[in-house]
Amino acid sequence: TELLNGVLVLSRAEAGRLEFHPQPLNLEQFCRDLVEDLQSSAPEHQLLFSLTGNCTQVAMDEKLLQHILPNLLSNAIKYSPRG
């Protein structure tokens, strides 16, 4: 299902029909939750989250971030050495 949803988002983006609906979002908590989820699925890797500056409340499309950031981080995990 995740793979299919990713393909659908990509095809909408390529067709110029990707909708962007920014809403208030606590970006720090979003990232902390994402790192925690990925850490549980890849316990052999140590994931560290570091925040610089004050970037907690932003206006972003959480659905789009749910497609983009997990993909980037899972690729980083997949292609990084253990430990």
Side-chain angles (χ1 to χ4, degrees):
T1 303
E2 263 183 61
L3 184 59
L4 183 56
N5 285 335
V7 169
L8 291 173
V9 169
L10 182 61
S11 66
R12 276 189 247 130
E14 288 176 345
R17 297 184 340 210
L18 188 61
E19 296 181 14
F20 177 63
H21 300 287
Q23 299 289 324
L25 176 70
N26 183 324
L27 186 59
E28 178 182 0
Q29 191 59 52
F30 178 88
C31 291
R32 287 188 187 283
D33 293 342
L34 175 60
V35 168
E36 184 179 311
D37 289 345
L38 289 170
Q39 182 68 69
S40 65
S41 66
E44 67 278 3
H45 292 277
Q46 181 180 7
L47 303 176
L48 301 174
F49 174 75
S50 175
L51 177 68
T52 303
N54 185 9
C55 185
T56 54
Q57 290 298 324
V58 296
M60 294 193 159
D61 190 322
E62 187 172 353
K63 283 181 130 181
L64 290 178
L65 281 180
Q66 287 287 356
H67 288 286
I68 297 166
L69 291 181
N71 187 39
L72 288 173
L73 289 175
S74 61
N75 281 339
I77 291 168
K78 187 186 303 182
Y79 297 108
S80 294
R82 292 179 190 269

